[in-house]
Amino acid sequence: MGGQLDAFTYNALPARVIMGAGKREEVAAEVGRLNCARPLIVTTRDQAALGEDIARRLDARQVSRFADATMHTPWPVTQRALEVVEGSRIDCVIAIGGGSSIGLSKAIALRTGLPQIVLPTTYAGSEVTPIIGETRDGQKSTQRTLDVLPEVVIYDVELTLSLPVTLSSASGLNAIAHAVEALYAADANPITSLMAEEGIAALAKSLPHIVQAPDSIEARRAAQYGAWLCGTCLGTVGMGLHHKICHVLGGAFDLAHAPTHAVMISHVAAYNAFSAPSSMARIARALKARDAWTGLYDLATNLDLPVSLEALGMPETGIDRAVELIMQNTYSNPRAPDVPALGNMLRRAWKGSPPQPME
Ligand code: NAD
């Protein structure tokens, strides 16, 4: 229990969550439930056809589309979407996709107060968080506000079948990283920790099956269930060193979001090993592994994911700069960050060496 029963604060997040194969059929009913009639369908360019598929289930005269959502929610894209919202008298947003489509939907909700219905197609978890990251003039800034939390989430497992295997694995590790950090968060609580352990276990079991059989509804269903739980952890408690590192590496070296999480999480678990032993025991139990860091590293390796920052395109000369950026701004973490230990960890991660617990 990690002492969490002594005293804790639990902030529950309001959301209507609908889960099941084929549940996208209910999107029109959900628009009606919100007393709305003029939705804007938001997707990336890659997923525009999926947006059309959803549009066919709605009144064609009332639906508008915006198929230009882009990773990291750049402000010029949001501005263009807001023009469509105003010009077409939109009264709700339907986002279909991963964190990029959902990020744009949240950016619209933040400025307009419009309700959101979200149909996730990755395991990133943004649909159940009150968090929005936006990029303006090359700077990404993140804020937490209930104004961006989607009102309705429809988890239709069939929408995840097309997610390529490598993206599925990386996105799954991204989700697991939310749960790992939730277990040792300063504001950890028993409910979030239950979700974290169950979420890690569901993903650790299902991801290797997805690699073998990407069309397996059973494996995809378990992975999506795990992603929901892990996303809820991200939405409910504060994240630590791992999320800070991924934010820095993504911003400074333009590394891909989910694969960076997949490389780093085992190393950060090792970094925190002796400062959060009871959390590590729960992670190991969920992974059915000897210890948390080896279990996380072995999972990434077994899923054939890149295990080095070098493979993601980070220059070795960037390590010192990364450490400098990580040391800026405070964030909560079981073990205080220190320059030599961070440098040591990043050098191992850069090479792809197995994680090493540090005293
Ligand atoms: P993404 O939404 O950028 O999707 C990656 C690519 O895969 C896109 O080209 C997309 O069109 C495609 N794709 C998505 N689902 C697919 C499917 N089922 N089949 C085929 N192609 C599919 O990736 P992501 O990892 O979900 O999101 C990353 C973004 O989300 C980042 O900007 C990140 O910062 C943000 N994020 C935010 C939060 C939050 O709580 N605010 C949480 C997690 C991630």
Side-chain angles (χ1 to χ4, degrees):
M1 219 64 67
Q4 290 170 18
L5 284 185
D6 294 345
F8 62 87
T9 303
Y10 173 57
N11 288 304
L13 295 172
R16 177 173 162 84
V17 175
I18 299 168
M19 190 166 280
K23 288 289 184 185
R24 62 189 179 285
E25 296 296 345
E26 294 181 12
V27 69
E30 290 302 318
V31 171
R33 242 188 109 261
L34 292 169
N35 289 323
C36 295
R38 300 181 61 82
L40 175 69
I41 295 188
V42 169
T43 65
T44 59
R45 258 178 231 174
D46 290 351
Q47 292 183 291
L50 190 53
E52 284 309 313
D53 177 68
I54 299 297
R56 275 195 290 279
R57 292 154 215 277
L58 297 155
D59 181 346
R61 294 159 304 175
Q62 307 267 49
V63 181
S64 302
R65 293 137 178 103
F66 189 89
D68 219 0
T70 307
M71 189 156 326
H72 304 310
T73 330
W75 175 240
V77 175
T78 301
Q79 275 179 314
R80 278 194 286 120
L82 287 169
E83 282 164 22
V84 179
V85 168
E86 203 174 319
S88 305
R89 293 180 296 114
I90 298 299
D91 60 11
C92 66
V93 184
I94 301 175
I96 305 135
S100 297
S101 300
I102 300 166
L104 177 57
S105 173
K106 287 175 163 180
I108 295 169
L110 183 63
R111 272 88 200 181
T112 60
L114 291 181
Q116 307 169 72
I117 299 172
V118 173
L119 294 97
T121 64
T122 72
Y123 305 132
S126 178
E127 64 279 359
V128 282
T129 78
I131 304 168
I132 176 166
E134 296 183 284
T135 315
R136 234 189 244 227
D137 303 325
Q139 292 276 352
K140 186 164 178 177
S141 60
T142 301
Q143 56 174 307
R144 256 182 200 260
T145 162
L146 279 176
D147 295 345
V148 303
L149 184 71
E151 279 69 9
V152 181
V153 182
I154 302 179
Y155 284 110
D156 184 336
V157 63
E158 290 169 5
L159 300 181
T160 64
L161 292 174
S162 55
L163 191 64
V165 164
T166 314
L167 253 177
S168 301
S169 299
S171 192
L173 259 293
N174 183 185
I176 286 176
H178 306 329
V180 166
E181 293 231 287
L183 278 162
Y184 56 61
D187 51 354
N189 61 77
I191 301 294
T192 308
S193 296
L194 278 177
M195 290 193 262
E197 196 174 332
E198 172 87 350
I200 294 170
L203 280 158
K205 192 164 173 215
S206 56
L207 292 174
H209 286 283
I210 290 172
V211 172
Q212 298 300 320
D215 292 340
S216 163
I217 283 277
E218 202 188 322
R220 290 284 188 181
R221 190 183 284 134
Q224 197 174 38
Y225 167 66
W228 168 45
L229 295 175
C230 293
T232 305
C233 293
L234 171 67
T236 329
V237 297
M239 295 288 113
L241 176 64
H242 170 79
H243 281 73
K244 169 76 182 181
I245 290 176
C246 292
H247 190 87
V248 163
L249 296 180
F253 307 104
D254 203 24
L255 305 192
H257 178 81
T260 308
H261 278 267
V263 170
M264 285 312 306
I265 189 59
S266 62
H267 292 278
V268 179
Y271 186 93
N272 285 325
F274 297 109
S275 307
S278 61
S279 307
M280 293 302 152
R282 292 186 77 163
I283 297 162
R285 188 166 66 190
L287 293 167
K288 293 194 174 21
R290 189 183 68 215
D291 58 62
W293 49 96
T294 309
L296 291 164
Y297 185 79
D298 287 349
L299 181 61
T301 312
N302 293 340
L303 294 173
D304 267 342
L305 285 168
V307 287
S308 73
L309 294 174
E310 182 185 20
L312 301 187
M314 179 178 169
E316 190 172 12
T317 49
I319 292 176
D320 290 344
R321 169 87 184 123
V323 171
E324 204 179 295
L325 290 169
I326 293 161
M327 292 299 290
Q328 288 171 8
N329 300 331
T330 50
Y331 49 88
S332 157
N333 191 62
R335 175 186 177 175
D338 74 85
V339 171
L342 283 176
N344 192 1
M345 173 179 62
L346 281 179
R347 269 184 286 281
R348 292 188 76 84
W350 187 83
K351 282 194 219 129
S353 312
Q356 193 176 50
M358 286 180 251
E359 292 284 359

